[in-house]
Amino acid sequence: MAAFSLDEEVRLYTTNTEREKYESLATLYGIIVSLEYLERAYVRDSISAAHTEVPSLEEFMKKYNMDNPAALHRLKVGVPATVEHATEQGAETAKWVAETTQSFITFMDALKLRLRAKDQLHPLLQELMTGYSKFKASAEWEGRAKIVQWLITLNAMKASDDITEEQSRQLLFDIDHAYHEFFSSLSGGGSGTKTP
């Protein structure tokens, strides 16, 4: 039987890949535990909502000297990277086309019906982005960048905030353009895109 020294450091990893894996798991563990304590404190009224709000992500990251541009982007966009950069394709393509078309029409109708609050528009736009991103060619489409930018804009707002009439018109224009670009790609035409 091998003798162990209690003074010797135990290593969980032997390669850089393993080290990164354990560091990521430790970070995730820390986030979950911190969120649990925060939620418990909030439910018990130990802290107020004002203590849980951050003026802006950029200010917070600057204050604590954080250099995490990928995390900042993910938080601003508000959808997982697997949604924003989805590349899966398969037998469900026809279903995805129908769902994405439905999402486009639903979102544009919401704007035409004068829905302006973040809490009304954000879920619809997020659902649209989820469907839109399932198509490999969407990474090349102009509309994708516009949708991501509008998600960032809406994410920066409070749930009760409204977009302006000017923003609504621009958003409708951008989404309509993305819809036509998407629709053109289905027949192999427009913007040099290929079918999904």
Side-chain angles (χ1 to χ4, degrees):
M1 178 179 236
F4 292 103
S5 171
L6 297 177
D7 296 326
E8 188 176 319
E9 181 180 330
V10 176
R11 298 199 122 192
L12 298 174
Y13 54 85
T14 55
T15 66
N16 283 339
T17 304
E18 288 177 343
R19 178 183 53 81
E20 288 178 16
K21 174 187 166 190
Y22 283 109
E23 285 179 357
S24 294
L25 290 172
T27 301
L28 180 59
Y29 179 86
I31 290 170
I32 292 169
V33 169
S34 298
L35 187 56
E36 178 69 18
Y37 282 111
L38 180 63
E39 287 295 314
R40 286 182 183 181
Y42 183 74
V43 168
R44 290 187 208 137
D45 288 330
S46 298
I47 58 171
S48 67
H51 286 97
T52 62
E53 293 177 5
V54 176
S56 79
L57 289 172
E58 290 87 355
E59 289 177 29
F60 179 83
M61 292 177 79
K62 185 177 180 180
K63 180 179 179 179
Y64 293 101
N65 297 320
M66 298 174 75
D67 184 28
N68 306 91
L72 178 62
H73 176 75
R74 186 62 38 230
L75 290 169
K76 282 183 164 183
V77 172
V79 294
T82 54
V83 170
E84 185 182 4
H85 302 291
T87 59
E88 294 181 24
Q89 198 171 350
E92 293 193 330
T93 302
K95 178 183 172 192
W96 293 344
V97 169
E99 289 174 351
T100 303
T101 301
Q102 177 183 348
S103 294
F104 268 114
I105 292 169
T106 300
F107 189 79
M108 290 188 292
D109 285 349
L111 290 172
K112 290 174 185 174
L113 290 170
R114 305 188 59 73
L115 297 181
R116 301 290 184 260
K118 174 197 175 167
D119 63 349
Q120 295 171 320
L121 296 175
H122 187 270
L124 299 174
L125 188 59
Q126 195 168 14
E127 184 177 327
L128 171 59
M129 182 63 179
T130 300
Y132 191 78
S133 297
K134 289 180 180 177
F135 299 90
K136 285 184 181 182
S138 72
E140 303 165 10
W141 299 337
E142 291 175 26
R144 182 188 191 109
K146 296 282 187 183
I147 293 172
V148 168
Q149 190 55 50
W150 279 110
L151 277 169
I152 291 170
T153 299
L154 291 174
N155 278 332
M157 299 168 63
K158 293 180 182 174
S160 60
D161 288 348
D162 289 353
I163 60 173
T164 65
E165 185 62 32
E166 183 179 325
Q167 286 176 312
S168 175
R169 288 183 67 184
Q170 186 63 50
L171 178 52
L172 181 58
F173 178 82
D174 291 342
I175 296 299
D176 187 56
H177 176 74
Y179 176 63
H180 288 291
E181 187 177 40
F182 170 73
F183 193 74
S184 293
S185 76
L186 297 177
S187 61
S191 302
T193 57
K194 298 176 184 170
T195 56

